[in-house]
């Protein structure tokens, strides 16, 4: 029976041989992300900044510059305009409106008067500054708790070494996602926070599969060189990793290209997270175990032959 094979059976890729290059790349991504976050900050969306957003459509192409000049002359506040979909749809954002309860309605009416009857109002949203501050704090807290609880779960399911590796790997994935949004200045809102939580769960799912195979092989090949054992485990789970990541990416790319502007940043975060999460599960999480004392590597065993080998493999000592 014919089967689709994206990855050949019994691969022998030396992932641990690339660990120093992987660590260097991970360090660069993390430093760039943290530096960009500190210098440029996040382009916070309406959910976290508060303000008014108006989406409108007209039958003729929009002169964004002329419309911006007309609205700016009214001194409505921090104003931004962006076309989306095509050049006949416009999104107008007014950030951080004053605390006057009548301000949102008054600002909306002013924008509507400037647009005139030629524009069809498609959507309006308003979030006050107090609510936006609470949403930002809750989003940060949810992300931090998710990462911490993931590490605790892995710690209890495996050993503390696996928990530390999972914590560092998940932190890397989240920091890299923040980096994408700070470098490209994509809008960061509640949908992106949901994407980050999804990325954390997705990444740890891949990592746990690899860790589970490593634990099985630790019990079976107790005298095997640890880098060889980790390479074996990663290769044994490689088909599953590629198929899972590939099929998930197909769905996310469909959302990214055909889901419209509302889902674009959410989909971009997920797509980036799948790439980074798969990379970190294969190259980073497992390699971190080489630098920690691992249990179950002392007693002699006569089952240290790799699958397909007829004689046991002699230990050569773990290398760092």
């Amino acid at each position: 029976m014919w089967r689709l094979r994206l990855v050949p059976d019994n691969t022998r890729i030396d992932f641990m041989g690339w660990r120093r290059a992987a660590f260097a790349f991970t360090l660069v991504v993390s430093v760039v992300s943290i530096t960009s976050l500190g210098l440029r900050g996040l382009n916070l969306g309406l959910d976290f900044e508060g303000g008014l957003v108006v989406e409108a459509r007209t039958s003729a192409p929009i002169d964004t510059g002329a419309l911006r000049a007309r609205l700016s002359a009214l001194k409505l506040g921090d104003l931004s305009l962006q076309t989306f979909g095509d050049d006949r749809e416009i999104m107008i954002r007014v950030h951080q409106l004053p605390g006057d309860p009548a301000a949102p309605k008054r600002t909306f009416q002013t924008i509507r008067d400037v647009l005139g009857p030629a524009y069809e109002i498609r959507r309006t949203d308003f979030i006050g500054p107090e609510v936006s501050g609470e949403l930002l704090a809750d989003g940060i807290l949810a992300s931090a708790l998710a990462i911490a609880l993931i590490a605790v779960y892995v710690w209890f399911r495996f050993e503390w070494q696996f928990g530390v590796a999972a914590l560092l790997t998940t932190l890397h994935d989240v920091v890299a996602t923040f980096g994408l949004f700070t470098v490209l200045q994509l809008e960061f809102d509640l949908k992106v926070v949901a994407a980050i939580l999804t990325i954390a769960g997705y990444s740890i799912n891949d990592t746990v599969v690899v860790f589970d195979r490593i634990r099985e092989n630790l019990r079976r090949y107790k005298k095997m060189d640890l880098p060889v054992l980790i390479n074996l485990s990663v290769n044994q789970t490689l088909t599953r990793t590629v198929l899972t990541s590939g099929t998930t990416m197909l769905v996310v790319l469909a959302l990214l290209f055909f889901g419209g502007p509302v889902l674009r940043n959410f989909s971009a975060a997920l797509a980036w997270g799948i790439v980074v999460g798969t990379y970190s599960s294969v190259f980073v999480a497992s390699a971190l175990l080489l630098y920690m004392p691992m249990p179950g590597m002392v007693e002699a065993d006569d089952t240290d032959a790799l699958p397909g080998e007829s004689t046991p493999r002699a230990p050569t000592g773990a290398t760092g």
Side-chain angles (χ1 to χ4, degrees):
M1 181 178 178
W2 183 84
R3 292 187 301 169
L4 175 64
R5 296 183 185 275
L6 297 180
V7 179
D9 291 334
N10 302 318
T11 57
R12 296 288 180 91
I13 302 172
D14 185 14
F15 292 104
M16 295 304 99
W18 290 87
R19 66 182 182 275
R20 291 182 177 84
F23 286 156
F25 176 75
T26 300
L27 181 62
V28 169
V29 170
S30 301
V31 169
V32 169
S33 300
I34 294 171
T35 302
S36 180
L37 182 62
L39 295 179
R40 306 184 68 184
L42 291 168
N43 177 22
L44 296 177
L46 192 72
D47 295 335
F48 298 140
E49 261 198 344
L52 175 72
V53 61
V54 177
E55 291 181 8
R57 180 177 177 83
T58 186
S59 58
I62 300 171
D63 186 345
T64 307
L67 183 58
R68 180 182 287 107
R70 291 170 61 192
L71 290 171
S72 298
L74 300 175
K75 302 186 183 303
L76 298 175
D78 185 8
L79 190 71
S80 64
L81 281 74
Q82 178 184 359
T83 57
F84 65 95
D86 55 35
D87 56 1
R88 293 175 174 82
E89 294 183 79
I90 189 78
M91 179 184 296
I92 303 169
R93 295 177 179 274
V94 184
H95 300 274
Q96 298 177 337
L97 291 173
D100 180 6
K105 185 176 181 179
R106 187 169 59 248
T107 302
F108 169 70
Q109 188 60 49
T110 301
I111 293 174
R112 189 169 188 174
D113 292 342
V114 171
L115 295 177
Y119 284 82
E120 175 193 357
I121 304 298
R122 309 291 291 270
R123 180 174 75 97
T124 59
D125 280 322
F126 170 73
I127 297 180
E130 291 185 2
V131 174
S132 62
E134 291 177 2
L135 290 175
L136 180 59
D138 290 345
I140 294 173
L141 179 61
S143 301
L145 284 177
I147 295 172
L149 291 176
I150 283 172
V152 171
Y153 161 74
V154 176
W155 187 336
F156 277 99
R157 175 168 174 176
F158 297 96
E159 300 286 345
W160 68 266
Q161 298 92 334
F162 294 92
V164 171
L167 174 63
L168 294 176
T169 304
T170 309
L171 274 175
H172 162 262
D173 298 343
V174 172
V175 168
T177 305
F178 275 109
L180 175 72
F181 277 77
T182 58
V183 171
L184 300 182
Q185 284 296 288
L186 301 176
E187 185 177 290
F188 190 89
D189 55 18
L190 275 178
K191 293 187 290 294
V192 179
V193 172
I196 288 175
L197 296 177
T198 304
I199 290 167
Y202 181 88
S203 174
I204 203 62
N205 180 62
D206 263 356
T207 303
V208 163
V209 170
V210 178
F211 281 178
D212 198 49
R213 185 56 58 89
I214 291 174
R215 181 173 61 177
E216 290 178 9
N217 287 334
L218 280 172
R219 293 169 178 169
R220 183 179 181 187
Y221 306 113
K222 295 183 178 179
K223 295 177 62 180
M224 183 181 290
D225 186 11
L226 186 56
V228 176
L229 185 144
I230 293 176
N231 268 333
L232 172 65
S233 304
V234 176
N235 278 284
Q236 287 174 340
T237 56
L238 190 60
T239 299
R240 183 264 178 202
T241 300
V242 171
L243 287 176
T244 302
S245 300
T247 53
T248 308
M249 182 64 82
L250 288 176
V251 177
V252 172
L253 289 178
L255 287 175
L256 180 62
F257 292 112
F258 305 109
V262 175
L263 295 176
R264 188 160 297 150
N265 290 338
F266 171 79
S267 305
L270 284 182
W272 174 250
I274 290 172
V275 173
V276 173
T278 303
Y279 153 78
S280 64
S281 297
V282 172
F283 286 98
V284 179
S286 303
L288 287 172
L289 298 176
L290 292 175
Y291 302 92
M292 304 179 196
M294 293 298 296
M297 296 293 293
V298 179
E299 297 179 12
D301 197 346
D302 60 356
T303 59
D304 281 1
L306 292 178
E309 294 183 345
S310 58
T311 57
R313 177 178 292 264
T316 58
T319 60

